[in-house]
Amino acid sequence: MSGVSRVSAPDATTDRVAIVTGGSRGIGAAVCRRLAADGLRVHLVYRDAEGAAKQVVEEILADGGHAVAHRADVADEPAVEELVRTVADAEGAIHVLVNNAGVIDDHLLMLTSTERWEQVLRVNLTGPFLLCRAVLPAMLDQGWGRIINVSSNSVRIPGAGQTAYAASKGGVEALTRGLAMEVGRKGIRVNCVAPGRVRTDMTGPVADKLGGDDAAGPRWGLPEDVSGLVAFLASDEADYIQGQTITADGGRLVMRPRGSK
Ligand SMILES: NC(=O)c1ccc[n+]([C@@H]2O[C@H](COP(=O)([O-])OP(=O)(O)OC[C@H]3O[C@@H](n4cnc5c(N)ncnc54)[C@H](OP(=O)(O)O)[C@@H]3O)[C@@H](O)[C@H]2O)c1
């Protein structure tokens, strides 16, 4: 018998509660569907797309899962605090946070206004900070939690015009490591996933411009290529993974030196 012991949730038989930001569309919607299929009670956060958010909730309910949609801007501190309070009051616990909401607003640095720079950082970096800070008391009380932040391959291979976006995601990876260090002994795991090119509303115009899969590189990813990794990091099985950024890009980072775009 080995002496290995995992830090499990105090009561791993009750349904776990997850907050997923940006759950109305793209990668976040796939994460909501997957976590719900895994038995988690999903609280989906959207900003504008109410119809899309409701559709994701209806699909989950039709499949026998649990999901509720909340409108909140992750860049708005009072809104984030109210959101987390609402979920905690309704559920009595918060086990999983997926910081997935994000925006892209590409411009060459010389043409980037301070306002645009700050808005990208506000949503992509300050948003996760606000959510992490708001859920930590519940996770610390439980002695168990999973925080999964969504970064991007753009940190390592930014395209032209992506300085603000790549800087915000680089910040998310640093936030992940810093918080992982702070809470590592409290049963909370904080990790990052860094997708490559995934076909969503965010990347539709780029995909159209590039005209389909690049013969020298991997195929475009699907939201479901990322959601399984998020679900794993949200599970008990990820107990020994902490402060990491895990890339899901079909091999784009390793294939790029061969000359892909
Ligand atoms: N697609 C890719 O190739 C790719 C690659 C690497 C990383 N990522 C990252 O993956 C995450 C999801 O990307 P995606 O492609 O699925 O994006 P998407 O299809 O454009 O969806 C973005 C989601 O974020 C929500 N959102 C945006 N700003 C928000 C705010 N201020 N407050 C609350 N919610 C907000 C949107 O809500 P509404 O629907 O209400 O507008 C939507 O649900 C992002 O963090 C992105 O940076 C994407």
Side-chain angles (χ1 to χ4, degrees), residues 9 68 142 150 202 205:
V68 181
Q142 293 153 196
V150 180
M202 179 179 277

Side-chain angles (χ1 to χ4, degrees), residues 20-23 25-29 31 98-103 128 148-150 169:
V20 181
T21 69
R25 295 185 281 122
I27 294 169
V31 168
V98 183
N99 275 314
N100 163 80
V103 290
I148 299 104
N149 296 320
V150 180
K169 296 298 190 180

Side-chain angles (χ1 to χ4, degrees), residues 3-18:
V4 174
S5 67
R6 287 182 173 157
V7 180
S8 294
D11 182 358
T13 57
T14 55
D15 291 345
R16 291 184 180 162
V17 177

Side-chain angles (χ1 to χ4, degrees), residues 54-201:
K54 280 186 175 161
Q55 197 181 326
V56 175
V57 168
E58 279 164 19
E59 283 168 19
I60 290 172
L61 297 178
D63 286 344
H66 177 90
V68 181
H70 306 260
R71 181 196 286 270
D73 183 342
V74 299
D76 179 340
E77 185 168 346
V80 167
E81 285 172 2
E82 192 189 331
L83 162 78
V84 172
R85 224 177 7 252
T86 301
V87 175
D89 287 350
E91 299 282 7
I94 299 171
H95 299 96
V96 175
L97 166 65
V98 183
N99 275 314
N100 163 80
V103 290
I104 202 158
D105 189 12
D106 288 358
H107 303 277
L108 295 177
L109 186 140
M110 279 182 66
L111 305 175
T112 300
S113 66
T114 308
E115 192 185 14
R116 283 193 140 132
W117 171 273
E118 288 179 341
Q119 182 57 19
V120 171
L121 265 77
R122 181 91 197 160
V123 175
N124 292 1
L125 179 56
T126 305
F129 155 72
L130 293 172
L131 264 299
C132 287
R133 194 180 59 183
V135 302
L136 276 175
M139 290 185 178
L140 288 167
D141 275 356
Q142 293 153 196
W144 196 95
R146 295 283 186 266
I147 296 175
I148 299 104
N149 296 320
V150 180
S151 176
S152 168
N153 245 1
S154 299
V155 175
R156 281 151 289 280
I157 45 171
Q162 292 199 316
T163 50
Y165 181 74
S168 71
K169 296 298 190 180
V172 164
E173 293 184 12
L175 179 158
T176 299
R177 286 193 297 277
L179 181 57
M181 196 278 277
E182 290 183 11
V183 298
R185 291 186 176 276
K186 311 284 186 192
I188 301 171
R189 302 290 169 258
V190 191
N191 291 291
C192 228
V193 301
R197 288 175 176 167
V198 180
R199 270 191 195 275
T200 65
D201 294 346

